[in-house]
Structures are given as structure tokens and as C-alpha cells.
Amino acid sequence: MESRLSINQIADIAGFSVATISRVINNRGGYSKETEEKVHRIIEEYNYTPNANASGLRTNRSHSIGVMVPDIMNEFFAKIIRELDLYFLKHRYVVLICDSNEDSALENMHLRNLLTKNVDGIIYISGKNEVLKPEQIGVPVVYVDRSPKNAEVLVHSDNVTGGYLATKELIDAGCKKIMFFGDERLRSPVRRRRDGCRKALREAGFKNDKMFFVGSLPDYESSRQRMREILHDEGCYFDGVFTTNDMMALGVIDALRESGYSVPGDVKVVGYDNIPTSEFCVPKITTVTQDTKEIADRAADALLKMIHGESIEKKDIIIPVALTKRESTSLTK
Amino acid sequence: MESRLSINQIADIAGFSVATISRVINNRGGYSKETEEKVHRIIEEYNYTPNANASGLRTNRSHSIGVMVPDIMNEFFAKIIRELDLYFLKHRYVVLICDSNEDSALENMHLRNLLTKNVDGIIYISGKNEVLKPEQIGVPVVYVDRSPKNAEVLVHSDNVTGGYLATKELIDAGCKKIMFFGDERLRSPVRRRRDGCRKALREAGFKNDKMFFVGSLPDYESSRQRMREILHDEGCYFDGVFTTNDMMALGVIDALRESGYSVPGDVKVVGYDNIPTSEFCVPKITTVTQDTKEIADRAADALLKMIHGESIEKKDIIIPVALTKRESTSLTK
DNA sequence: CTGTTAGCGCATTCAG
DNA sequence: CTGAATGCGCTAACAG
């Protein structure tokens, strides 16, 4: 495990000064073609890699980006991470991924850790509704998906339209009594989906006694349990359900089926996120698909601009969504 | 966006020298109780965080760990990342996650990037069969899951037993003609699962004309297509299939069903990995569950030991697996 | 086009 | 128990 070469040693070997080596590495220009080639050759030959600590110390740049996510196991966030990773790699940034696991204390530890590591910027998908102020963080931050109170720049899906499309699909499929079955923590995306849902309902002339709003924790088991209780206590007084994610849809469908109701026969269901499972379960779930690549790219793009001191034209970047129709809202059956 | 305080400023404020501040921060001892308290108080008050670049430059340690994974969207790897992240956070390390996306060129770029960033060690789940030699990497490496030729320390599931258990389950369910349907790239875990499969078959007295080995790319569509071809060209000459991951099992099952065969009625299927979908699809898939937390913890543990210069007793750490029985191998139906 | 040099923030001798 | 001084590897003036 021989220790790495320094720029000094490379300079000695190449017969130039460190300044020239540094210039070539960062292609600052101001050297001859031959010099450039020779330096590159030697760097290659000796497998030299610059010491990021040293250059970071000097420039006060770490060339690294922090990415905070609430749940790396969630396909939606995993996809965003993948896209961010790819984007930043291209720009020669390293990505520090922090999985806060929806835990506020963990999130804080991670954040401190990131700051200590001198990240140049942060992509922040927070589990909290309130977040440190920009000046407390001290580096550019782009929020994604969830919008905390003091978010400056936010990239998120068009959740209002998502909720609208999902609900419209139920209405078009003939549902007369529709339930909004949402993550009870009511984070901003869920609130917006609810707004879109209301809008569709109003437009279609639904009265208050034909629309219902229910909250649940957003996982499979909680949703199943919640729907069981509803069916047990009040019976099946609805014929369409819009859940704010696909795992909830799975739970709702299973509860419905175990009570003898057919989906989509008696009740139609629309989910959100288009996770892989939604395509392989029975019935396949109609869902709202978010454009994760676009979300990631726009967020990364905005962050890089902020890091380079360029101004951001739009502080609130909204990415279109699309409805993916499947069996859980089909008319036949 | 005020710039951060340096240790010098803290020293001035506290009325001590930087040396003392440094000692307190790293609790090196050699200072009075009062000094310690005062320093801590001031650090707290001024929200001072040490500059990791500077201390890294000085100590040649970055307190960061590189993690290379072939596919962050894969639940199995995502779970490992989550556990690693948690483990290292506890030990105040930051984790640099690199998603090589099963792409060798990307993997190399990421690796160079990691080295530049001075990571103290790497957890390496490689997409390749051959990997840089330890002395070329220059920091401790623990390989996980896949074992390249020159791996020094490797943590992986007991794949032989996994293959054995899966196949045994098919045999116990009454299958007489069994197909091993494996990832055609034949990486080490798949080879071992095949070995376990063979072992179970041999033990049960299967002759060569009752066991079949088929290769496919490891995704849903490829597996489905491959199985379609088999059924079309040769018919259904088997009554049990062991696929080396769950997505392949899904593809195989769908191909079987669309050709009119029942699962588990005509053909029983066992998958591998226990991804969430395997529990929600129809039929629910019998599969082999890997202990991802244990894999992650043991790998992280070994890496930290290597980083601290302690010797590793075991170079080849094997984690037990378990069979998760579900509908795709059930006798009834 | 190229070289010399100061200093980024910190940990660590060595002196006291 | 504490402080002064050195240098880690690199970039960016500045000088030639």
C-alpha cells in the first residue's frame, strides 16, 4: 500500500514546476502543447491523483455534494439518487448520500456531518416540515419533492395535476363516491395531491357527501389495517379510492379483497409513484408516474448554478407527471 | 452565507492556543477540566465545525468511505447501502456511494473519483470479474457479494446453501425435472447457487436428463422472453424452476402463465433475494432471503478494522441465508 | 510560456 | 497542563 505521489514529485519527474502541473491538471491554459502532453503522460504513467483535501483546503471547495433522502429503499428516491449520481459524476463531483430514514435526529447528524465535510451544496429531500435557514447551513441548497417552510429553491412534481389526474381517472371510470386515502403526515406533496383531487371532484359536481378524506401512515401494513377498520366500522361506502402512494394502494386493495370486495369491480383504486410492484401485483395498479430523471437533472442543474454563483431564474421548478393506466381502474371485469 | 470560523479564531476567542483547542476536539487529553468545558462551550456557542479538508490533509485521513454498488435500484443493494450508511454514521464516517450501473467504464470513473477524494477505505460490490490490485487502489477494500479474482477480504451470503435450499424445496414439493434458470453472466454468486443446486439434485438422485441449466439476462423482460422461446421451441419439459433472482422468477412465471401453464400447479418456481414485489405478486414467490444487515455490518466492521491497522481474522466471511416459503411452491392448488 | 512562493486549517512535535 | 512552530499538497498571485 505505497503512499500516493504528490504534485511535487510529479513536478520533479516531469521537470516542471508544481505550478505548471497544476495548470495542466485544471486546464487553466498557459502552457505549450508539448508540455501538456508530457505532463499528462507522466500523470498517467505514475497513476497520479490529486489530493482533494489539499486542493479543497486551498480553494475552499470540496467538489462534493450532499444528498439527503428520507428513505433510500423507496424506489422513487432510489431512482432520484441514481440520476443525481450520474449527473454529478459527469461534472466530476462526488455525492455524499445520507439516508435519514425519516428520522429527524438522524437527519440532523447527517447534516452536521455534511457541513463538516465542506460539501459545496446540498440536494435536500427532508423528512421535516421545518429546516435550518440558509444562513445556518452556509452552502447552497436545492430542495426536492418536499418543501419545508424556508426553502429557497424547490424542484418538485406537479402534484396538484397528479392528484387531479388520478381523481379524474376514477370519475371517468364511473366512480360516484370517492375516497382520498392519504399519508396522514400531510407533507406538502400530499397536500397538493389532495388539492388536485378536490379540484377534480368539484369540477365533476361532487357534493361533500360523495367525497371522503382519510389519513393513514404511508406503509402497506398501516394502510391495510386502516382500510380494514373502515370496512368493519362503516362498511364499503365508496366505490373509488385514490391513495397517495402505491404501497398504500396495495394495502387498501388487499383489505378490500379480504372483505370480499372486488377491485376494480366494486371499488376502483389509483396509486402514486409507479413503483415496480404496482405492475406485477393483481390487479395491476393504475398510478401516477413522476419523471424522476427530470426532477434529478433540474435539481442538480440548479444546484451547480448556485454553486458557481449564477443566478437561478426559477425558484420553484415544477415537473410534469403522467397517469399510467392499468387494471385497478379498468371498466371491464 | 457567512464563512465558517477556523480553529484559530476559536483559539483567540477562548484565550487558548490552537494546540489546546485541537487537543480538546480530538480528546487527546492533557488539559484541565475547566479548559475542556470552556472550549466545548465556545465551540457550541459559535457553532464551530472543524474543517475536514484541513484535518484530512494533515492526517492523511478523510474519515470517508467509498461504497461501490452495481445498481442502487436493486432492493438488495439498496438495503445494504442503508445499513452501511447507518453503521458508518455511528462511527462518524461519511459514505460516498457510487452507482456503477453495471457499467465498467462508469465504475472506473467512480473509482478514480474515490481515490482522489482520499477515502479511507472502500466497500466494493463490483460489476466486474477482475478488479484493480490492492496496491493499485492503495486503501483497504472489502468486497461484498461478488468476488473478483484478487479480492482480499470478501463478505458474502452462503450462496451454495441458498441454491441448495431452493432446489431442495422444489424436490420436496414433488418436482421431477428441474431447471436452473440463472443470470447468464455467471458471476460468482450465481455460480455458487448453481453448485448448491447441483448438490441438491445429485443427493436426490437426479440424472442428467432430469436437470437443465439455462442462462438469461437477469431482468424481467429478458427472462420472460427467454422462457417464451423455450416453451415455444421445446415445450414445457420441466416441472420446477429455480431462478437466481426474483425479477427473473416473475418473468418466468408470466411466460408460463401466458402459455397456459399454472404456477404452482404445473410448474413450481423458486426465486432469490426476497424483494418486496415477490410478496405481492400472484402467486407469491418462494424465495431465498439474504441477511443484508449482517452482510453490511460484517463488511463495515472488517473495513474499519483494516483502516485502523488491525488484522482481520477471517478473509472470507459467509453469511447464512434462509428459505422463505410462499405460494409458488405450494402443493395445493 | 514557466517558476517561486505564500498560505489555506489543522495535528503534532518540541519546549516550557 | 499549555503554547510556538512546522508542514501536509495544492492553487493563485506575482515575477520573469
Side-chain angles (χ1 to χ4, degrees):
Chain A
M1 208 162 295
E2 40 182 318
S3 75
R4 281 164 44 188
L5 293 168
S6 78
I7 198 173
N8 276 293
Q9 312 184 50
I10 294 294
D12 285 349
I13 295 169
F16 289 103
S17 71
V18 290
T20 297
I21 309 295
S22 176
R23 286 188 189 103
V24 173
I25 289 172
N26 303 297
N27 35 143
R28 285 258 176 289
Y31 39 76
S32 70
K33 197 72 191 154
E34 299 88 56
T35 304
E36 179 176 8
E37 276 165 13
K38 179 163 186 187
V39 170
H40 274 137
R41 193 154 34 72
I42 297 207
I43 285 177
E44 197 68 32
E45 181 179 348
Y46 288 84
N47 197 25
Y48 165 73
T49 54
N51 182 322
N53 281 325
S55 93
L57 176 59
R58 188 57 232 260
T59 59
N60 205 23
R61 279 283 175 80
S62 63
H63 244 72
S64 65
I65 303 286
V67 176
M68 184 83 73
V69 295
D71 179 7
I72 203 177
M73 305 280 296
N74 180 317
E75 291 273 346
F76 173 65
F77 299 125
K79 186 82 190 304
I80 288 182
I81 291 174
R82 148 161 301 175
E83 301 298 346
L84 288 174
D85 192 64
L86 200 57
Y87 187 103
F88 284 119
L89 179 65
K90 278 184 196 146
H91 294 255
R92 314 238 55 205
Y93 277 79
V94 126
V95 167
L96 309 191
I97 291 162
C98 302
D99 180 3
S100 68
N101 217 327
E102 301 271 11
D103 176 331
S104 183
L106 257 187
E107 185 173 321
N108 285 336
M109 283 182 67
H110 266 132
L111 187 57
R112 276 193 79 81
N113 219 348
L114 286 180
L115 265 20
T116 295
K117 282 295 180 297
N118 261 344
V119 290
D120 297 336
I122 299 180
I123 302 272
Y124 207 132
I125 312 181
S126 176
K128 311 165 164 192
N129 285 320
E130 200 140 353
V131 109
L132 288 172
K133 295 199 186 67
E135 59 271 25
Q136 288 176 295
I137 294 187
V139 298
V141 179
V142 170
Y143 292 89
V144 169
D145 191 45
R146 331 270 184 88
S147 70
K149 280 209 186 82
N150 25 30
E152 327 113 271
V153 179
L154 171 67
V155 179
H156 54 155
S157 278
D158 186 348
N159 285 298
V160 175
T161 300
Y164 180 87
L165 289 176
T167 308
K168 192 78 170 33
E169 168 72 7
L170 290 170
I171 296 170
D172 290 349
C175 298
K176 302 297 180 200
K177 293 158 289 182
I178 292 180
M179 174 185 287
F180 173 90
F181 190 94
D183 184 338
E184 66 183 20
R185 296 169 309 175
L186 282 182
R187 302 211 198 292
S188 57
V190 170
R191 290 200 303 273
R192 295 210 176 85
R193 289 169 203 176
R194 192 186 50 188
D195 292 344
C197 176
R198 278 223 180 84
K199 185 176 157 219
L201 258 14
R202 292 262 163 69
E203 272 185 22
F206 275 64
K207 296 281 160 43
N208 282 337
D209 62 336
K210 302 293 182 196
M211 47 205 248
F212 313 98
F213 294 85
V214 171
S216 162
L217 282 172
D219 61 292
Y220 173 81
E221 269 310 320
S222 304
S223 303
R224 183 172 177 171
Q225 192 53 43
R226 185 82 185 81
M227 181 49 77
R228 267 191 195 133
E229 288 164 18
I230 291 171
L231 293 173
H232 178 268
D233 296 348
E234 317 168 55
C236 189
Y237 55 84
F238 47 87
D239 55 9
V241 183
F242 165 38
T243 66
T244 52
N245 76 44
D246 288 338
M247 288 312 285
M248 297 175 83
L250 282 169
V252 163
I253 289 173
D254 282 0
L256 245 11
R257 297 192 138 199
E258 76 189 21
S259 292
Y261 298 100
S262 135
V263 178
D266 301 316
V267 181
K268 304 194 194 310
V269 177
V270 178
Y272 213 102
D273 284 351
N274 196 3
I275 62 173
T277 303
S278 68
E279 195 177 346
F280 295 111
C281 56
V282 174
K284 299 186 202 303
I285 299 174
T286 294
T287 187
V288 177
T289 305
Q290 306 193 53
D291 190 345
T292 45
K293 175 166 168 47
E294 189 66 15
I295 293 174
D297 285 353
R298 298 296 297 277
D301 193 60
L303 188 60
L304 248 34
K305 281 205 175 111
M306 291 167 75
I307 288 172
H308 296 143
E310 302 167 36
S311 67
I312 302 293
E313 56 299 348
K314 290 180 67 172
K315 303 281 187 190
D316 189 52
I317 301 171
I318 299 179
I319 313 297
V321 297
L323 185 77
T324 302
K325 288 195 194 194
R326 298 213 184 92
E327 297 166 357
S328 67
T329 55
S330 79
L331 293 171
T332 64
K333 214 178 192 177
Chain B
M1 212 164 291
E2 41 182 320
S3 76
R4 282 164 44 187
L5 294 168
S6 77
I7 197 172
N8 277 294
Q9 312 184 50
I10 295 295
D12 285 350
I13 294 168
F16 289 102
S17 70
V18 290
T20 297
I21 309 295
S22 175
R23 287 186 188 104
V24 172
I25 289 172
N26 302 296
N27 29 157
R28 283 261 174 289
Y31 38 77
S32 70
K33 195 74 191 155
E34 299 88 57
T35 304
E36 179 176 6
E37 276 165 12
K38 178 162 188 191
V39 171
H40 273 137
R41 193 154 34 72
I42 297 207
I43 285 177
E44 197 69 30
E45 181 179 347
Y46 288 83
N47 197 24
Y48 166 73
T49 54
N51 182 320
N53 281 325
S55 91
L57 176 58
R58 185 60 230 259
T59 59
N60 205 23
R61 279 282 176 80
S62 63
H63 243 71
S64 66
I65 303 287
V67 175
M68 184 83 73
V69 295
D71 179 7
I72 204 177
M73 305 280 296
N74 179 317
E75 290 273 348
F76 173 65
F77 299 125
K79 187 80 189 305
I80 287 181
I81 291 174
R82 150 162 299 176
E83 301 297 346
L84 287 174
D85 191 64
L86 201 57
Y87 187 104
F88 284 119
L89 179 65
K90 278 186 197 146
H91 293 256
R92 313 238 56 205
Y93 277 79
V94 126
V95 169
L96 310 191
I97 291 163
C98 303
D99 181 1
S100 69
N101 217 327
E102 300 270 12
D103 177 330
S104 182
L106 259 187
E107 185 173 321
N108 285 337
M109 283 181 67
H110 264 131
L111 187 57
R112 275 193 80 81
N113 219 347
L114 286 181
L115 264 20
T116 295
K117 283 292 180 298
N118 262 344
V119 290
D120 296 336
I122 300 179
I123 303 272
Y124 206 132
I125 313 182
S126 176
K128 312 166 165 191
N129 286 318
E130 200 140 354
V131 109
L132 288 172
K133 295 199 187 66
E135 59 271 24
Q136 289 177 293
I137 294 187
V139 297
V141 179
V142 169
Y143 292 90
V144 168
D145 191 46
R146 329 274 183 88
S147 70
K149 281 210 185 81
N150 25 31
E152 327 114 89
V153 179
L154 173 66
V155 179
H156 54 156
S157 278
D158 186 349
N159 285 299
V160 175
T161 300
Y164 181 87
L165 290 175
T167 309
K168 191 78 170 33
E169 167 73 6
L170 290 171
I171 296 171
D172 290 350
C175 299
K176 301 298 181 197
K177 293 158 290 182
I178 292 179
M179 174 185 286
F180 173 90
F181 191 95
D183 183 339
E184 66 183 18
R185 297 168 308 174
L186 282 181
R187 303 213 198 288
S188 58
V190 170
R191 290 201 303 274
R192 295 210 176 85
R193 289 168 203 177
R194 191 185 52 187
D195 293 344
C197 175
R198 278 223 179 83
K199 186 175 158 218
L201 257 14
R202 292 264 162 69
E203 272 184 23
F206 274 65
K207 295 285 161 41
N208 282 339
D209 62 336
K210 302 295 182 196
M211 46 206 250
F212 314 97
F213 295 85
V214 170
S216 164
L217 281 172
D219 61 292
Y220 173 81
E221 269 310 320
S222 304
S223 303
R224 183 171 178 174
Q225 193 52 42
R226 186 83 184 81
M227 180 49 79
R228 267 190 195 135
E229 288 164 18
I230 291 171
L231 293 173
H232 179 268
D233 296 347
E234 316 170 54
C236 188
Y237 55 84
F238 46 87
D239 55 9
V241 182
F242 165 39
T243 67
T244 52
N245 76 44
D246 288 338
M247 288 311 287
M248 297 175 82
L250 282 169
V252 163
I253 289 173
D254 282 0
L256 246 10
R257 297 192 138 201
E258 75 190 21
S259 291
Y261 299 100
S262 132
V263 178
D266 300 317
V267 180
K268 301 191 194 316
V269 177
V270 178
Y272 213 100
D273 285 349
N274 196 4
I275 62 174
T277 304
S278 68
E279 196 176 346
F280 296 111
C281 57
V282 175
K284 299 186 202 302
I285 298 175
T286 296
T287 188
V288 176
T289 305
Q290 306 194 54
D291 189 344
T292 44
K293 175 165 169 46
E294 188 68 14
I295 292 173
D297 285 353
R298 297 297 297 275
D301 192 61
L303 187 61
L304 248 34
K305 282 204 174 113
M306 290 167 75
I307 288 172
H308 296 143
E310 303 169 35
S311 67
I312 302 294
E313 55 298 348
K314 289 180 68 174
K315 303 283 188 187
D316 189 53
I317 300 171
I318 299 179
I319 313 297
V321 296
L323 186 76
T324 302
K325 288 196 194 194
R326 298 210 184 94
E327 298 166 357
S328 68
T329 56
S330 79
L331 293 171
T332 64
K333 215 179 196 181

